[in-house]
């Protein structure tokens, strides 16, 4: 519970820091806003049902899942660029959505955590949560969008696992992610969310394959326990005949149908409980799967991709240096970066990106030629790097 409340507080602090005193405004919601609000309503429905049945644990768990998984780990993380707007104001649709979600959560939480929920509600509205109406159950809507977003999140998780297995960090851009998804997840909403998946996985392009067999080979593993109940002494033969099942038969078993095989004159029938469908990688790509969801990443890192990856690592270390120097998120800086040719080339090729991400008014290659607030020597990808920052002088 402590971790959940910390996450909730951090989500509020994120809103307070980046949205400041701005109030929700009228604006066209983005797809991710619509998704979060639909997920919020679905959570309201679960909590209301649980509270009415006096199932406090079930209601609290549903609320915790929403705050940690949907709100913090997905919505806030994916929407950072809409809030982080040092030269302008935060996206009003994003501000409205996050405020609505946090206020509704505070009201849902009131029966289980009266003091924490009251603090959050007062911080957002200036009034006590215990004087507010409890949220009402209603149709959540956006069924297609919620299905599509779940598919994207599943694929993103698989792609991250594929990267980890291949030993390729997330900040290193890669060329291509190939994905397979069940037909039920496909549609206009899924296609519209592909840029989000591309950004999350840090690849240049996402390609959809028509069938997961373009990426993996399906195989069947016999379940001796269920087969034994039906076939008795012929169970070993029934198990061996599983190897004769074709790709489409395995796919139909996975979808709940039955399949039949004739082996040496004997007919064996299999149900979904008799065969576990597995997927075997057939290429040198990094591949992970979860049922019909498959994510395959091309692990090839070209010189161009390596250079971009190094620039992203530099940004990450500069952001830490900004924090160590005590800067707030709007502080403009002068920045010095020194290192071998690979570092200098990464800075030269991605200076605009580095400047934008770190709020550097000036980016200088070499050792500092003026007083600095913070300086650090470190190693990035075997490269010895020196970083230094100072407040920019207008």
């Amino acid at each position: 519970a402590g971790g959940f409340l910390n996450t909730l507080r951090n989500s509020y602090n994120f809103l307070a820091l980046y949205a400041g005193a701005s109030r929700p405004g009228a604006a066209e919601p983005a797809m991710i806003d619509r998704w979060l609000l639909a997920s919020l309503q679905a959570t309201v429905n679960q909590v209301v049902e649980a509270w009415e049945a006096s199932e406090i644990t079930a209601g609290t768990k549903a609320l915790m899942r929403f705050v940690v998984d949907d709100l913090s780990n997905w919505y806030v993380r994916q929407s950072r660029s809409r809030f982080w707007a040092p030269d302008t104001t935060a996206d009003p649709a994003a501000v409205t959505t996050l405020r609505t979600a946090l206020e509704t959560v505070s009201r849902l939480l009131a029966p289980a955590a009266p003091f924490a929920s009251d603090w959050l509600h007062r911080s957002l509205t200036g009034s006590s949560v215990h004087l507010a109406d409890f949220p009402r159950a209603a149709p959540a809507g956006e069924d297609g969008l919620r299905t599509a977003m779940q598919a994207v999140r599943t694929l993103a998780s698989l792609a991250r696992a594929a990267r980890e297995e291949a030993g390729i960090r997330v900040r290193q851009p890669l060329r291509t992610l190939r994905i397979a998804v069940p037909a039920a997840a496909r549609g206009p909403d899924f296609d519209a969310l592909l840029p989000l998946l591309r950004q999350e996985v840090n690849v240049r392009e996402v390609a959809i394959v028509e069938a997961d067999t373009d990426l993996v080979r399906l195989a069947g593993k016999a379940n001796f326990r269920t087969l034994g109940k039906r076939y008795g002494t012929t169970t070993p033969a029934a198990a061996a005949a599983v190897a004769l099942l074709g790709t489409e038969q395995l796919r139909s078993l996975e979808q709940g149908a039955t399949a039949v095989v004739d082996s040496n004159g004997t007919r064996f029938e299999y149900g979904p409980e008799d065969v576990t469908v597995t997927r075997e990688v057939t290429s040198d790509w990094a591949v992970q799967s979860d049922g019909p969801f498959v994510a395959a990443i091309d692990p090839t890192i070209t010189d161009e991709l390596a250079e971009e990856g190094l620039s992203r690592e530099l940004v990450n270390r500069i952001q830490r240096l900004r924090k160590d120097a005590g800067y707030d998120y709007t502080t403009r800086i002068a920045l010095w970066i020194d290192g071998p040719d690979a570092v200098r080339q990464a800075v030269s090729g991605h200076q605009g990106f580095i400047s934008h991400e770190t709020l550097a008014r000036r980016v200088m290659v070499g050792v500092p030629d003026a007083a600095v607030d913070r300086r650090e020597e470190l190693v990035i990808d075997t490269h010895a790097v020196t970083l230094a920052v100072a407040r920019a002088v207008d």
Side-chain angles (χ1 to χ4, degrees):
F4 156 68
L5 291 176
N6 283 335
T7 300
L8 187 58
R9 183 174 63 248
N10 290 340
S11 298
Y12 168 76
N13 289 341
F14 175 85
L15 175 69
L17 175 63
Y18 292 111
S22 64
R23 304 301 300 174
E28 185 69 24
M31 288 188 74
I32 197 167
D33 299 329
R34 290 165 37 214
W35 165 79
L36 185 75
L37 294 175
S39 180
L40 173 65
Q41 185 59 57
T43 303
V44 168
N45 298 344
Q46 291 176 308
V47 174
V48 167
E49 182 180 359
W51 275 188
E52 289 179 346
S54 298
E55 296 177 354
I56 305 303
T57 300
T60 304
K61 284 184 176 179
L63 197 51
M64 292 170 69
R65 277 195 302 270
F66 172 78
V67 170
V68 175
D69 296 339
D70 293 353
L71 183 67
S72 177
N73 289 348
W74 193 250
Y75 179 80
V76 169
R77 198 160 55 78
Q78 298 297 338
S79 303
R80 281 187 181 277
S81 62
R82 301 170 66 203
F83 287 91
W84 188 77
D87 293 318
T88 179
T89 57
D91 183 333
V95 174
T96 297
T97 301
L98 185 51
R99 278 185 178 275
T100 299
L102 289 172
E103 186 177 332
T104 304
V105 165
S106 72
R107 297 182 182 193
L108 291 172
L109 188 61
F115 298 109
S117 61
D118 197 50
W119 165 81
L120 179 58
H121 198 269
R122 286 180 184 274
S123 299
L124 290 164
T125 70
S127 63
S128 172
V129 72
H130 304 299
L131 299 177
D133 292 336
F134 198 76
R136 297 175 179 273
E142 300 283 11
D143 292 347
L145 177 55
R146 285 191 290 149
T147 298
M149 188 68 83
Q150 185 54 52
V152 165
R153 294 176 73 179
T154 297
L155 291 164
S157 178
L158 292 172
R160 287 193 296 269
R163 274 181 173 271
E164 186 174 346
E165 184 181 43
I168 303 173
R169 58 178 175 264
V170 174
R171 277 189 289 274
Q172 172 58 61
L174 294 173
R175 189 164 46 201
T176 304
L177 167 68
R178 300 178 73 196
I179 58 173
V181 292
R186 292 291 305 275
D189 286 333
F190 180 80
D191 292 343
L193 290 172
L194 288 181
L196 186 152
L197 177 61
R198 181 174 57 80
Q199 175 183 303
E200 171 69 11
V201 179
N202 194 13
V203 293
R204 296 280 178 83
E205 66 172 357
V206 175
I208 304 175
V209 300
E210 290 305 314
D212 55 358
T213 46
D214 292 341
L215 304 174
V216 292
R217 179 173 57 248
L218 270 61
K221 181 179 179 182
N223 183 343
F224 282 84
R225 184 176 59 82
T226 59
L227 290 174
K229 292 178 181 179
R230 237 177 25 257
Y231 290 107
T233 57
T234 59
T235 297
V242 167
L244 301 177
L245 290 166
T247 297
E248 291 307 315
Q249 288 177 301
L250 291 169
R251 200 185 305 281
S252 66
L253 281 168
E254 197 170 48
Q255 294 171 352
T258 59
V260 175
V261 166
D262 288 318
S263 177
N264 297 324
T266 304
R267 184 176 184 272
F268 296 106
E269 181 174 330
Y270 304 98
E273 70 281 359
D274 298 322
V275 178
T276 300
V277 180
T278 62
R279 286 165 170 78
E280 302 169 355
V281 179
T282 57
S283 72
D284 59 355
W285 285 36
V287 181
Q288 290 286 322
S289 63
D290 179 7
F293 293 91
V294 184
I297 288 182
D298 181 354
T300 305
I301 301 175
T302 63
D303 291 344
E304 179 190 6
L305 291 172
E307 182 182 296
E308 184 181 343
L310 181 53
S311 74
R312 287 172 176 258
E313 289 293 335
L314 286 168
V315 165
N316 176 258
R317 306 306 173 89
I318 295 164
Q319 299 289 34
R320 294 186 202 174
L321 201 57
R322 283 180 56 98
K323 186 176 181 180
D324 292 342
Y327 300 153
D328 65 34
Y329 83 100
T330 60
T331 301
R332 269 47 174 193
I333 65 170
L335 171 64
W336 289 265
I337 305 174
D338 195 24
D341 288 345
V343 172
R344 290 171 173 248
Q345 191 168 328
V347 174
S348 174
H350 300 274
Q351 185 166 336
F353 167 72
I354 294 172
S355 297
H356 177 267
E357 293 296 315
T358 64
L359 294 186
R361 287 227 170 107
R362 292 186 298 145
V363 179
M364 289 145 289
V365 176
V367 295
D369 55 359
V372 299
D373 296 326
R374 201 82 177 183
R375 175 176 175 151
E376 183 178 5
E377 295 180 357
L378 62 157
V379 176
I380 302 177
D381 293 345
T382 73
H383 304 303
V385 179
T386 300
L387 300 176
V389 294
R391 292 177 185 272
V393 179
D394 292 328

